[in-house]
Amino acid sequence: MAARSPEERAAVRAGLAVGLATAVYGVSFGALATLSGLDVWQTCFLSLVMFTGGSQFALIGVLASGGLAAGPAAITSAALLGTRNVFYSIRMSPLIGPGFLRRAAAAQLTIDESVAVATAQPTLRSQRLGFWVTGIAIYLGWNLTTLIGALIGDLLGDVSAYGLDAAAAAAFLGLLWPRLKERQTQAVAVGAAVVATLLTPVLVPGLPVLVAASVAVVVGAFNLLGARRES
């Protein structure tokens, strides 16, 4: 087997680091899901099949506030938040390559983290390696920690007090930080963060992320600040 290039080794390290940080957060989901009324098997089934943390938290968040009567709203919120993965799949399609089984597996692993690690790499091989390493590491770790959280949730108490969500956010920030060199990317990051922060207290879970993503798409698609710099 040929030795991996420095770019490929860096992609593996990034994928494992982001995967570990994100997987730890699964304990919070497992504990919160059982506290919101789901059984252990239902909680684990969500992580196995849905496997997109934002949608999972949106689902149990609405269920916790409204019970079974809030089921349609919970499903709608989770589905809206999950639509971003459709756009991720368009970006990842040429990177994954042909083959039904490969594409089916990639579809399950196409999430924020795997796309972020892949797109941050400089070569096609390192992008592909970063995607698979990140996706597999998170899938295995997330499902394992979901089971742990579901089983010992009662012993953990208020899991939000542990700050496990900060681990995933810190991993993302460390991954994206080197890319925030141009005014265009800085404007997208700041604009989306401000919008999400302002809307989170007033909108249902999921919608603030979609609105923030829309802001990022508008700024990026029209290249507003980039065009101003070239004039």
Side-chain angles (χ1 to χ4, degrees), residues 129-151:
L129 192 59
F131 173 84
W132 287 111
V133 169
T134 307
I136 293 172
I138 294 177
Y139 189 81
L140 296 177
W142 180 265
N143 281 282
L144 176 62
T145 54
T146 292
L147 175 61
I148 295 173
L151 292 175

Side-chain angles (χ1 to χ4, degrees), residues 111-211:
I111 55 177
D112 299 316
E113 292 81 359
S114 60
V115 174
V117 171
T119 55
Q121 309 311 314
T123 67
L124 178 61
R125 286 179 59 87
S126 61
Q127 289 175 353
R128 187 172 294 163
L129 192 59
F131 173 84
W132 287 111
V133 169
T134 307
I136 293 172
I138 294 177
Y139 189 81
L140 296 177
W142 180 265
N143 281 282
L144 176 62
T145 54
T146 292
L147 175 61
I148 295 173
L151 292 175
I152 65 173
D154 292 338
L155 301 178
L156 294 175
D158 184 8
V159 292
S160 62
Y162 294 96
L164 297 178
D165 54 335
F172 253 120
L173 183 59
L175 179 67
L176 297 176
W177 190 262
R179 300 170 66 89
L180 300 179
K181 296 179 180 178
E182 299 180 355
R183 189 169 56 181
Q184 176 82 357
T185 54
Q186 292 169 358
V188 169
V190 173
V194 170
V195 170
T197 301
L198 293 176
L199 296 182
T200 295
V202 295
L203 294 182
V204 298
L207 287 182
V209 174
L210 292 177
V211 177

Side-chain angles (χ1 to χ4, degrees), residues 6-86:
E7 292 82 7
E8 292 168 352
R9 290 197 295 271
V12 172
R13 289 195 299 271
L16 292 176
V18 173
L20 177 62
T22 306
V24 172
Y25 194 25
V27 174
S28 292
F29 172 73
L32 291 173
T34 53
L35 291 176
S36 68
L38 298 182
D39 296 331
V40 173
W41 76 267
Q42 291 172 326
T43 300
C44 293
F45 184 77
L46 276 179
S47 284
L48 284 169
V49 177
M50 183 179 284
F51 186 55
T52 172
S55 294
Q56 292 179 233
F57 278 105
L59 180 70
I60 64 171
V62 178
L63 286 178
S65 62
L68 292 178
I75 294 173
T76 301
S77 298
L80 285 173
L81 191 55
T83 54
R84 71 192 189 283
N85 290 349
V86 175

Side-chain angles (χ1 to χ4, degrees), residues 82-109:
T83 54
R84 71 192 189 283
N85 290 349
V86 175
F87 300 100
Y88 291 160
S89 65
I90 296 173
R91 174 66 177 84
M92 290 294 101
S93 180
L95 184 153
I96 297 303
F100 174 77
L101 293 179
R102 179 187 300 176
R103 285 180 171 271
Q108 181 69 355
L109 300 179

